Each structure stands twice: as structure tokens, then as C-alpha cells.
Amino acid sequence: MTVLAAGLALAGSLFFALGAALQQFEAARASGPALRRLLRRPRWLLGGLAIGAGTALHIVALKYGPLTVVQPMGVASLLFALPCAAALRHRRPRPAELASAAVIAIGLMGLVLVVPEHAGSPYLGTGEAAVLLGGAAAVSLVLWAAGRRSSPAARAALFATGAGVLYGATATLARVLVDGNWEPWFLAAVPVPALLALVLLQRAYAVGHFGVAFAALQVTDPLTAVAFGALLLGEPLPTGAASTLVALAAGALAAAGTVALARTTPMSPAPDLTAR
């Protein structure tokens, strides 16, 4: 069953990467990243379906294998994403891009594996949920404002980081809903950060630095979920000197790889203003 879980998670990563590459390709070509334009582009919608399929495969994989096997396989989406994006633009991925992505993936796997599993049932009260949503919104707003005054690569990273924070908040709420410990208004609240994250992510993709944006999202989303889980749900963090050192080293690798990727990933072509 563990082999099946690993295979499902790996397939999910491929679908997720392909979907992200398709959506970024269309967001970069569109005359603007507004969802109303992107929703009229079949390839962008196909990317959304691929992301949905990848997410479903990842969830099914968790039924057949432990988190310590499934989660590292999810990190492979970064390694799949760059070749997918390059193929859409009829070029080969640069060796430096793939090397940077590998460094980020190693860092992410280290972070995923060092976080201990939580056996308890999470609970989120109204006050904690308000802190969760308000904090995520405030952080993403600051990142959006900073990104507007930054260079293209930094703008893509900051916008995607803001989206990752919002997705992390969405994941935290979703975990609580799945376990049944929630307030009725949570159902209406869940789509809000998810939709804001989608809009912000398309703005990050429209900048043109796909590798940077996707890497920033991949790093920020799980780290935000872990942070919210520890602060609001009482979930454990790594303890002990060895685990702390591994977490710091893994975080440094992920950060260094993202910076390197920003320097090596080319910009996307100019927008296709004639496309509808």
C-alpha cells in the first residue's frame, strides 16, 4: 500500500505541476490577470482541472500511505513544473533552473519530514478563526503592496508568497472542517481566502517568472499551515537540537534555491494582446 500511495502522490504532483504551468502560461499571455479574462481561456480552465485532479490524487494517496511518504512526493511538483512550463514555450529547461529547483525540493522535503505528526483532533474557535483570517489577510496585503514596488522577479515571489499565506489559512480551516470541530460560519469563510489566493497567484504568474512564483508558493503554503497549526491548533513543532538544526538547514536550502531560481529563470514572452 505504501508503494501505491507514493505512486498516487507522484502522479498528483505531476498533474498539479502541469496545471500550474498551463495557468501561468495563460496568465502571462493575457492582457491582464483578471479572472474574468482567464475564465474565457480553455487552457487556463484545463489547468484548473489538472490542479483539481492532482489534489484529489494526493488526498487518495493519504488514505493508502503515511504522511511521511506522501508529503515528500508532493514536493516533486516543483521538479515537474519547470519542464512543463519550458515545453509550453518550446524550449528546454536550463540546467541551472533544474539544479535550483532540486535544492528547493530537498529543503522542502527536510521541512516536511522534520515536522512531527499530530494525533489529536484540532479545534478552532471563533476568536482563533478571526485571528487566522485577519492575520493571513494582513500579511498578504503587506506582501502585495511591497510587490508592486519591486523588480519583476521579486514581485512574482512576493505575490506568490502572499497567495501561499492565504492558501495556508485555507488549509488550516479545511483541516478543522474535516475533523468536525468548527463553527457554522466557517463554511462561508473558507472560499474567501482561497479566492483571494487564486487572484493573487494569477498576478504573480502574469509577471512572467514562473519558477520563482511556483517555488515561493510551494515553500510558503506548507510553512504557513504549520505555523497556524502550531499557534492556533496546538500542533507540535520540531523539538530537540537535531530537529531544529535540520529545520534551519532545510529552510536555508529552500530560501537559497528560490533566490538562485530567481536569477536563472527567464521571463515569459510578452502578453498576447490579440488573444481572447
Side-chain angles (χ1 to χ4, degrees):
M1 286 298 184
T2 299
V3 174
L4 175 62
L8 288 170
L10 203 60
S13 295
L14 178 58
F15 274 100
F16 191 87
L18 177 61
L22 286 168
Q23 289 199 332
Q24 191 274 337
F25 184 78
E26 290 301 318
R29 283 166 54 87
S31 56
L35 284 181
R36 65 179 180 277
R37 294 192 183 96
L38 296 174
L39 286 170
R40 294 198 295 266
R41 290 177 172 256
R43 191 152 37 187
W44 188 88
L45 294 172
L46 181 62
L49 290 176
I51 290 173
T55 302
L57 284 170
H58 188 83
I59 292 171
V60 173
L62 287 171
K63 285 184 169 290
Y64 293 102
L67 193 67
T68 52
V69 171
V70 174
Q71 289 294 77
M73 293 295 150
V75 173
S77 60
L78 181 59
L79 299 176
F80 292 140
L82 292 179
C84 288
L88 286 170
R89 291 170 175 80
H90 306 289
R91 70 172 182 87
R92 292 182 179 179
R94 297 175 178 178
E97 289 180 80
L98 297 178
S100 300
V103 170
I104 298 169
I106 292 170
L108 277 174
M109 280 191 284
L111 289 170
V112 165
L113 292 175
V114 81
V115 176
E117 292 189 51
H118 182 49
S121 181
Y123 173 77
L124 199 65
T126 297
E128 290 88 350
V131 170
L132 169 72
L133 295 173
V139 171
S140 61
L141 182 61
V142 169
L143 291 169
W144 171 76
R148 294 186 65 190
R149 297 188 293 270
S150 302
S151 64
R155 188 182 314 133
L158 289 168
F159 284 177
T161 299
V165 170
L166 291 166
Y167 276 133
T170 305
T172 304
L173 275 178
R175 278 211 308 280
V176 173
L177 287 172
V178 167
D179 282 354
N181 298 320
W182 44 275
E183 303 293 336
W185 67 271
F186 287 7
L187 287 173
V190 166
V192 177
L195 182 59
L196 291 175
L198 179 62
V199 172
L200 195 53
L201 183 60
Q202 300 314 307
R203 291 189 177 275
Y205 284 165
V207 175
H209 286 275
F210 173 61
V212 179
F214 193 68
L217 177 69
Q218 290 291 94
V219 171
T220 307
D221 185 355
L223 288 183
T224 302
V226 168
F228 281 138
L231 291 173
L232 301 175
L233 303 181
E235 296 181 347
L237 289 174
T239 57
S243 295
T244 302
L245 285 175
V246 171
L248 291 174
L253 276 178
T258 303
V259 172
L261 196 59
R263 294 175 176 174
T264 58
T265 303
M267 284 281 289
S268 298
D272 179 9
L273 300 179
T274 63
R276 291 289 183 268

